[in-house]
mmCIF file of all heavy atoms in Angstrom:
data_model
loop_
_atom_site.group_PDB
_atom_site.id
_atom_site.type_symbol
_atom_site.label_atom_id
_atom_site.label_comp_id
_atom_site.label_asym_id
_atom_site.label_seq_id
_atom_site.Cartn_x
_atom_site.Cartn_y
_atom_site.Cartn_z
ATOM 1 N N ARG A 139 20.729 19.633 -9.180
ATOM 2 C CA ARG A 139 21.937 19.023 -9.734
ATOM 3 C C ARG A 139 22.193 19.529 -11.154
ATOM 4 O O ARG A 139 23.328 19.773 -11.536
ATOM 5 C CB ARG A 139 21.828 17.497 -9.708
ATOM 6 C CG ARG A 139 21.795 16.937 -8.293
ATOM 7 C CD ARG A 139 21.525 15.439 -8.285
ATOM 8 N NE ARG A 139 22.622 14.695 -8.873
ATOM 9 C CZ ARG A 139 23.693 14.294 -8.212
ATOM 10 N NH1 ARG A 139 23.797 14.563 -6.911
ATOM 11 N NH2 ARG A 139 24.651 13.644 -8.802
ATOM 12 N N THR A 140 21.122 19.690 -11.911
ATOM 13 C CA THR A 140 21.294 20.186 -13.287
ATOM 14 C C THR A 140 21.772 21.639 -13.273
ATOM 15 O O THR A 140 22.664 22.027 -14.023
ATOM 16 C CB THR A 140 19.961 20.061 -14.062
ATOM 17 O OG1 THR A 140 19.503 18.725 -13.931
ATOM 18 C CG2 THR A 140 20.117 20.391 -15.531
ATOM 19 N N LEU A 141 21.171 22.433 -12.372
ATOM 20 C CA LEU A 141 21.591 23.838 -12.274
ATOM 21 C C LEU A 141 23.078 23.941 -11.914
ATOM 22 O O LEU A 141 23.781 24.828 -12.372
ATOM 23 C CB LEU A 141 20.761 24.559 -11.200
ATOM 24 C CG LEU A 141 19.337 24.946 -11.590
ATOM 25 C CD1 LEU A 141 18.507 25.257 -10.345
ATOM 26 C CD2 LEU A 141 19.337 26.145 -12.545
ATOM 27 N N LEU A 142 23.546 23.003 -11.078
ATOM 28 C CA LEU A 142 24.939 23.043 -10.639
ATOM 29 C C LEU A 142 25.869 22.284 -11.588
ATOM 30 O O LEU A 142 27.075 22.207 -11.365
ATOM 31 C CB LEU A 142 25.062 22.448 -9.229
ATOM 32 C CG LEU A 142 24.352 23.223 -8.112
ATOM 33 C CD1 LEU A 142 24.333 22.405 -6.832
ATOM 34 C CD2 LEU A 142 25.038 24.571 -7.868
ATOM 35 N N GLY A 143 25.274 21.683 -12.621
ATOM 36 C CA GLY A 143 26.090 20.957 -13.603
ATOM 37 C C GLY A 143 26.702 19.680 -13.050
ATOM 38 O O GLY A 143 27.773 19.253 -13.484
ATOM 39 N N ILE A 144 26.011 19.046 -12.058
ATOM 40 C CA ILE A 144 26.557 17.803 -11.486
ATOM 41 C C ILE A 144 26.026 16.607 -12.271
ATOM 42 O O ILE A 144 24.830 16.501 -12.524
ATOM 43 C CB ILE A 144 26.131 17.648 -10.004
ATOM 44 C CG1 ILE A 144 26.623 18.848 -9.201
ATOM 45 C CG2 ILE A 144 26.642 16.347 -9.419
ATOM 46 C CD1 ILE A 144 26.093 18.883 -7.781
ATOM 47 N N GLU A 145 26.918 15.710 -12.633
ATOM 48 C CA GLU A 145 26.526 14.494 -13.353
ATOM 49 C C GLU A 145 25.618 13.643 -12.474
ATOM 50 O O GLU A 145 25.747 13.639 -11.257
ATOM 51 C CB GLU A 145 27.781 13.658 -13.661
ATOM 52 C CG GLU A 145 28.628 14.213 -14.777
ATOM 53 C CD GLU A 145 27.966 14.033 -16.137
ATOM 54 O OE1 GLU A 145 27.597 12.893 -16.436
ATOM 55 O OE2 GLU A 145 27.828 15.039 -16.857
ATOM 56 N N ASP A 146 24.746 12.890 -13.116
ATOM 57 C CA ASP A 146 23.866 11.997 -12.374
ATOM 58 C C ASP A 146 24.645 10.919 -11.638
ATOM 59 O O ASP A 146 25.496 10.271 -12.222
ATOM 60 C CB ASP A 146 22.956 11.289 -13.379
ATOM 61 C CG ASP A 146 21.557 11.808 -13.261
ATOM 62 O OD1 ASP A 146 21.293 12.539 -12.312
ATOM 63 O OD2 ASP A 146 20.743 11.476 -14.136
ATOM 64 N N ALA A 147 24.347 10.738 -10.354
ATOM 65 C CA ALA A 147 24.935 9.599 -9.642
ATOM 66 C C ALA A 147 24.265 8.358 -10.214
ATOM 67 O O ALA A 147 23.066 8.344 -10.399
ATOM 68 C CB ALA A 147 24.637 9.715 -8.163
ATOM 69 N N ALA A 148 25.054 7.336 -10.529
ATOM 70 C CA ALA A 148 24.450 6.244 -11.288
ATOM 71 C C ALA A 148 24.357 4.934 -10.524
ATOM 72 O O ALA A 148 25.319 4.471 -9.930
ATOM 73 C CB ALA A 148 25.251 6.028 -12.556
ATOM 74 N N LEU A 149 23.153 4.369 -10.562
ATOM 75 C CA LEU A 149 22.975 3.008 -10.089
ATOM 76 C C LEU A 149 23.029 2.082 -11.294
ATOM 77 O O LEU A 149 22.787 0.902 -11.199
ATOM 78 C CB LEU A 149 21.624 2.862 -9.391
ATOM 79 C CG LEU A 149 21.520 3.456 -7.991
ATOM 80 C CD1 LEU A 149 20.121 3.286 -7.453
ATOM 81 C CD2 LEU A 149 22.514 2.805 -7.053
ATOM 82 N N SER A 150 23.311 2.691 -12.456
ATOM 83 C CA SER A 150 23.287 1.903 -13.683
ATOM 84 C C SER A 150 24.595 1.150 -13.886
ATOM 85 O O SER A 150 24.674 0.251 -14.688
ATOM 86 C CB SER A 150 23.012 2.807 -14.876
ATOM 87 O OG SER A 150 23.970 3.831 -14.896
ATOM 88 N N GLU A 151 25.643 1.544 -13.147
ATOM 89 C CA GLU A 151 26.919 0.837 -13.323
ATOM 90 C C GLU A 151 27.483 0.430 -11.980
ATOM 91 O O GLU A 151 28.364 1.073 -11.427
ATOM 92 C CB GLU A 151 27.903 1.746 -14.041
ATOM 93 C CG GLU A 151 27.581 1.874 -15.513
ATOM 94 C CD GLU A 151 28.344 3.007 -16.149
ATOM 95 O OE1 GLU A 151 29.412 3.351 -15.634
ATOM 96 O OE2 GLU A 151 27.846 3.547 -17.135
ATOM 97 N N LEU A 152 26.959 -0.632 -11.415
ATOM 98 C CA LEU A 152 27.486 -1.116 -10.137
ATOM 99 C C LEU A 152 28.811 -1.836 -10.399
ATOM 100 O O LEU A 152 28.931 -2.566 -11.373
ATOM 101 C CB LEU A 152 26.489 -2.087 -9.495
ATOM 102 C CG LEU A 152 25.122 -1.515 -9.108
ATOM 103 C CD1 LEU A 152 24.237 -2.608 -8.539
ATOM 104 C CD2 LEU A 152 25.273 -0.396 -8.094
#
Side-chain angles (χ1 to χ4, degrees):
R139 294 173 67 86
T140 308
L141 283 163
L142 295 170
I144 301 172
E145 285 288 307
D146 251 350
L149 285 178
S150 56
E151 285 167 26
L152 297 178

